[in-house]
Amino acid sequence: MKNINAEILIVGSGLTGLCAAGILSEIGYKITIIDKNKIGASYFKTGDIRTTAISEGSKKIFDDFGLWKNIAQHVTPINKIKVCDRKISNKIDFENANEDENLGYIVENKILKTIFFDKINKNKNINYYDGVDIKSIETNSRKVSLKSKKYIFNSNLVVAADGKFSSLRKLLKINAFKKNYNHSALFLNVIHSKDHKNQAYEIFKSSGPLAILPMKKNKNFYQSSIIWSHKTNFLKALIDSNRLSAVIEDEIKSFVGNIKKISNKKIFNLSAHINSTFYSEKLVFVGDAAHSVHPIAGQGWNLGIRDIYNLFVVLKEGRELGLELGNNVILKKYNDKTFYDAFVLYQITDKLNSIFSVDNILVKKLRNIGIDFIDNNRSLNFLISSYAMGKKINLFNWLKK
Ligand SMILES: Cc1cc2nc3c(=O)[nH]c(=O)nc-3n(C[C@H](O)[C@H](O)[C@H](O)COP(=O)(O)OP(=O)(O)OC[C@H]3O[C@@H](n4cnc5c(N)ncnc54)[C@H](O)[C@@H]3O)c2cc1C
């Protein structure tokens, strides 16, 4: 078996692992990334068909690390979000509170992965190994060692970015609170007849939420991403049937017009979880390895970006104080900075999904009152959009006003 030594070992080269490598390398550590699947430009260009909504808060983090200048040219800014309960007239309009900012930015995952991978490739302090599946983990006072079939990876700190079914979480026997929604999300891109005018829609239907997210024009045609949560059996029967275009058109016609073409369709199982802890000896969990949330608000990866940023801050602080990498006090500080944020988002997305899926008359009436109130109360409307934009909000200050 070959020994590979690194200061930081990142397990997982999804959006979180790739981004973490680029950001943490700025502290000056030597980093190794491993993945059980492929790592490489051609794989990243084809392997992930989805789009992601990036929040204003994540944009600011990317800006600080010199990443936004490469991402910016590929994004579609969202400057208005219409949230509808069953029908278009029952709605809340969220708009930009500040002209220099946007409610979010839609970008293709393959673009993000290619940009992060490019940064990694240019950095001589980062190397990577693919096709590596971790079988065991051992920790002593000096290092943590992860074994695969061919290698032993020794490091001072492991960053577990191995997704919601994290093998490291299982190997360390760390508990997670899990929820299966018994629903799936159908993702697809549509070319449509009407201009989306940089507006996104979240339509709450009794079967589940349907989101329409504006994308850049495709060869001069208007384009959007659709994410439709519904019963898994319904979506499985629909995805390859010749009814697909007609059914989707029926749902989105009043917002973006007729469908001209559908591409990049895929079904994702919907579940959520939160680990009982985001750290253990010489190891931290980031992104979906720590938490996953219902995609109802497009916030899951944005939460992962905040994990990476907080990890950067505490590791840099630790280094400046002369503490060894992987020091337990520093890792606990990371946990304390991130756990509550994840717990709150987990609860909000979960409850939002529950409240809007109920069709009971009383709940519907209460929902209508709430929707009307938020739509007409500018201050509350801005507070909610600020939270969705990833800004720090102070509820007590807001209540005092
Ligand atoms: C339909 C849908 C829409 C979404 N939309 C948004 C959105 O608009 N905005 C947003 O912020 N979030 C969104 N999310 C959430 C977002 O997609 C995830 O939070 C994000 O992709 C998680 O990335 P990750 O790198 O943490 O995990 P993953 O993408 O799961 O990557 C994990 C990596 O670890 C590797 N790995 C796993 N096990 C091992 C092992 N044993 N050894 C080595 N490597 C391993 C895997 O191969 C993979 O490369 C959405 C999610 C869904 C399902």
Side-chain angles (χ1 to χ4, degrees), residues 180-215:
N180 195 327
Y181 287 101
N182 296 320
H183 266 58
S184 291
L186 170 64
F187 173 87
L188 45 85
N189 289 341
V190 285
I191 290 189
H192 46 79
S193 58
K194 266 168 65 179
D195 188 355
H196 51 55
K197 296 184 179 156
N198 293 71
Q199 174 156 341
Y201 300 88
E202 181 88 45
I203 306 134
F204 288 101
K205 310 172 71 62
S206 38
S207 52
L210 185 149
I212 307 174
L213 306 170
M215 289 176 74

Side-chain angles (χ1 to χ4, degrees), residues 187-250:
F187 173 87
L188 45 85
N189 289 341
V190 285
I191 290 189
H192 46 79
S193 58
K194 266 168 65 179
D195 188 355
H196 51 55
K197 296 184 179 156
N198 293 71
Q199 174 156 341
Y201 300 88
E202 181 88 45
I203 306 134
F204 288 101
K205 310 172 71 62
S206 38
S207 52
L210 185 149
I212 307 174
L213 306 170
M215 289 176 74
K216 276 196 170 307
K217 273 187 169 178
N218 181 339
K219 294 179 189 148
N220 267 338
F221 293 107
Y222 301 119
Q223 191 180 202
S224 296
S225 280
I226 308 291
I227 303 171
W228 191 14
S229 307
H230 208 300
K231 287 199 179 105
T232 306
N233 287 346
F234 171 84
L235 295 178
K236 277 188 177 161
L238 181 67
I239 188 166
D240 290 321
S241 82
N242 49 17
R243 295 179 295 122
L244 179 67
S245 188
V247 171
I248 299 291
E249 187 170 274
D250 218 34

Side-chain angles (χ1 to χ4, degrees), residues 15 44-46 48 50 70-75 106-118 216:
L15 282 175
F44 292 140
K45 272 186 191 137
T46 53
D48 193 335
R50 259 192 32 227
N70 296 326
I71 300 173
Q73 57 190 302
H74 302 285
V75 303
I106 303 298
V107 61
E108 291 178 79
N109 289 7
K110 64 181 181 194
I111 302 264
L112 287 171
K113 286 186 176 173
T114 307
I115 289 170
F116 296 147
F117 184 62
D118 197 43
K216 276 196 170 307

Side-chain angles (χ1 to χ4, degrees), residues 10-18 34-38 43-44 48 50-55 58 105-106 109 113 132-135 160-168 171 185-187 213 227 266-270 286-305:
I10 298 179
V11 182
S13 67
L15 282 175
T16 308
L18 290 175
I34 57 171
D35 202 295
K36 64 178 181 183
N37 290 313
K38 283 200 178 125
Y43 176 66
F44 292 140
D48 193 335
R50 259 192 32 227
T51 53
T52 290
I54 297 178
S55 71
S58 298
Y105 303 85
I106 303 298
N109 289 7
K113 286 186 176 173
V132 175
D133 199 357
I134 295 304
K135 301 289 177 209
D162 53 345
K164 68 160 85 168
F165 305 108
S166 170
S167 310
L168 291 174
L171 286 171
L186 170 64
F187 173 87
L213 306 170
I227 303 171
K266 192 171 172 181
I267 293 175
F268 296 84
N269 180 44
L270 290 180
V286 291
D288 276 21
H291 45 67
S292 58
V293 295
H294 193 291
I296 198 164
Q299 292 291 334
W301 186 56
N302 289 296
L303 188 60
I305 296 303

